């Protein structure tokens, strides 16, 4: 649980014992098989995101086996399911009615509004749980449930034209998955990251070029995605966009963006877009696409006792790909 939000070096996580919860109407009790470690978990632990549930258990990339069900569930005992960030929406507001449930003002989230998967058991909402492709094992499928889905939505928000040139800033869990989808769809991928190991990973996964975060790109870009939570990269990415280019910012939290110069950064119809959560349709589309394309998932497993170390390693960029907790 997040005992007292603060810097990860101060130990905001504390291990506790709770009773195994019981599923209510429309809920599933899952035995956690694996849980991905997402940068959003770090934001929850460090207090970058406001506290929604005091003492919350983080984790929203949960792979689990259903061991009990509440009334009215479509999923049966024994099924393997994925539990992701989006936990519930109202279904009645104008955003939900038009298919934009990610913008629902009443939306709630796993590991923020309700206890998540840094645990041995967790409660999932049946209507928001995903059937998982059998092609991927528990550890490899876990990062797909947020890093993958959010990366996919960011890719769509970036509107890469056919055969276009995509720039990616930051190359962690989301980026290394989105880059593979972009390459499979015919885009040239240019990666900007401060990590030499991440640059090597990017090139091994088919990136056309990889350099430091502030390097000049070899060509002007049609689209760009910023995965790093660094507002200072916004003008950097915009300067590398060609006319009509689109920048998508994928994070739920971003440090302050410096002043932009209209002529230098935005004129010639360059545009900036944020990315907010995802819809269930995004998740279903991405999981099917990832299975069909055989997306390679780079993971670093940790035991549940090492959740704090996994978050500290994420904060310090001490691994490439995605960390996964295995109870």
């Amino acid at each position: 649980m997040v005992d007292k939000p603060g810097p990860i070096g101060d130990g905001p996580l504390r291990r506790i014992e709770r009773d195994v919860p019981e599923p209510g109407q429309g809920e599933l009790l899952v035995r956690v098989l694996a849980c991905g470690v997402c940068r959003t978990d770090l934001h929850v632990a460090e207090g970058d995101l406001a506290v929604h549930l005091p003492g919350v258990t983080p984790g929203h990339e949960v792979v689990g086996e259903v061991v009990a069900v509440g009334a009215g569930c479509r999923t049966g005992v024994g099924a393997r399911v994925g539990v992701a960030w989006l936990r519930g929406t109202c279904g009645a507001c104008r955003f939900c009615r038009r298919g934009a449930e990610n913008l629902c003002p009443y939306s709630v989230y796993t590991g923020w509004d309700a206890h998540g998967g840094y645990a041995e058991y967790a409660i999932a909402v049946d209507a928001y749980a995903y059937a998982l492709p059998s092609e991927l094992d528990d550890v490899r499928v876990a990062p797909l449930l947020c890093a993958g889905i959010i990366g996919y939505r960011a890719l769509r928000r970036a509107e890469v034209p056919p055969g276009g040139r995509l720039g990616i800033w930051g190359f962690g869990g989301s980026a290394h998955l989105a880059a593979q989808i972009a390459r499979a769809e015919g885009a040239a991928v240019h990666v900007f990251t401060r990590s030499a190991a991440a640059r090597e990973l990017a090139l091994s996964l088919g990136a056309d070029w990889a350099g430091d975060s502030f390097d000049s790109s070899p060509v002007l870009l049609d689209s760009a995605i910023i995965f790093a939570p660094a507002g200072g990269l916004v003008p950097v990415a915009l300067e590398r966009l060609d006319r009509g280019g689109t920048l998508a910012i994928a994070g739920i939290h971003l440090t302050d963006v410096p002043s932009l110069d209209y002529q230098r950064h935005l004129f010639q119809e360059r545009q900036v877009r944020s990315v907010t959560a995802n819809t269930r349709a995004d998740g279903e589309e991405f999981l099917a696409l990832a299975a069909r394309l055989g997306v390679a998932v780079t993971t670093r497993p940790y035991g549940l006792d090492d959740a704090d170390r996994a978050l500290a390693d994420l904060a310090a960029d001490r691994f490439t790909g995605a960390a996964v907790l295995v109870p």
Side-chain angles (χ1 to χ4, degrees):
M1 62 171 281
V2 179
D3 187 22
K4 184 179 180 181
I8 196 64
D10 292 348
L13 292 188
R14 182 164 64 89
R15 178 155 182 162
I16 61 166
E17 293 286 335
R18 287 190 177 119
D19 291 336
V20 175
E22 295 185 4
Q25 174 86 20
E27 293 181 339
L28 311 171
L29 174 63
V30 300
R31 180 173 64 88
V32 178
L33 304 173
C35 182
V37 176
C38 179
R39 190 166 291 275
T40 302
D41 300 331
L42 183 63
H43 294 319
V44 169
E46 294 197 313
D48 295 325
L49 298 181
V51 174
H52 280 193
L53 176 65
V56 71
T57 295
H60 56 274
E61 297 178 333
V62 186
V63 179
E65 177 190 2
V66 178
V67 294
V69 300
C73 290
R74 60 184 180 182
T75 307
V77 171
R80 188 177 75 140
V81 297
V83 185
W85 177 238
L86 185 66
R87 182 182 180 83
T89 56
C90 74
C93 70
R94 66 186 187 278
F95 301 106
C96 286
R97 293 198 305 271
R98 74 187 192 202
E101 65 181 3
N102 61 305
L103 301 179
C104 174
Y106 309 104
S107 56
V108 290
Y109 301 95
T110 309
W112 191 20
D113 295 287
H115 297 307
Y118 285 24
E120 294 165 312
Y121 291 89
I123 293 290
V125 178
D126 183 47
Y128 291 81
Y130 292 99
L132 297 177
S134 59
E135 293 88 341
L136 293 174
D137 63 33
D138 300 332
V139 171
R140 289 193 299 150
V141 79
L144 301 185
L145 292 165
C146 182
I149 295 171
I150 291 299
Y152 177 72
R153 185 167 184 88
L155 184 61
R156 294 293 174 252
R157 293 281 289 163
E159 291 192 343
V160 186
R165 299 172 299 242
L166 170 68
I168 292 176
W169 272 261
F171 205 74
S174 283
H176 92 284
L177 300 171
Q180 293 177 67
I181 301 295
R183 286 284 297 140
E185 294 178 341
V189 175
H190 301 259
V191 171
F192 302 79
T193 174
R194 62 188 181 183
S195 166
R199 292 194 289 270
E200 291 179 12
L201 176 61
L203 294 172
S204 74
L205 292 173
D208 296 84
W209 177 89
D212 185 78
S213 299
F214 295 90
D215 282 351
S216 297
S217 54
V219 293
L220 289 175
L221 306 169
D222 300 300
S223 303
I225 306 172
I226 293 177
F227 287 106
L233 293 175
V234 172
V236 174
L238 287 170
E239 285 181 6
R240 286 149 181 77
L241 282 182
D242 206 348
R243 298 176 178 215
T246 299
L247 167 63
I249 302 172
I252 190 173
H253 169 77
L254 193 73
T255 58
D256 289 346
V257 178
S259 296
L260 300 178
D261 180 274
Y262 179 71
Q263 296 293 332
R264 184 177 175 186
H265 298 126
L266 295 172
F267 193 55
Q268 302 294 351
E269 300 195 352
R270 296 174 183 87
Q271 58 181 321
V272 181
R273 291 177 161 185
S274 66
V275 179
T276 301
N278 62 274
T279 66
R280 282 170 284 180
D282 291 329
E284 290 162 1
E285 289 171 14
F286 170 72
L287 289 170
L289 189 60
R292 180 167 59 83
L293 294 177
V295 166
V297 187
T298 301
T299 59
R300 168 83 173 270
Y302 292 79
L304 186 58
D305 288 342
D306 290 326
D308 52 355
R309 184 165 64 88
L311 284 176
D313 289 349
L314 172 64
D317 291 329
R318 284 194 281 261
F319 58 82
T320 57
V324 180
L325 301 182
V326 183

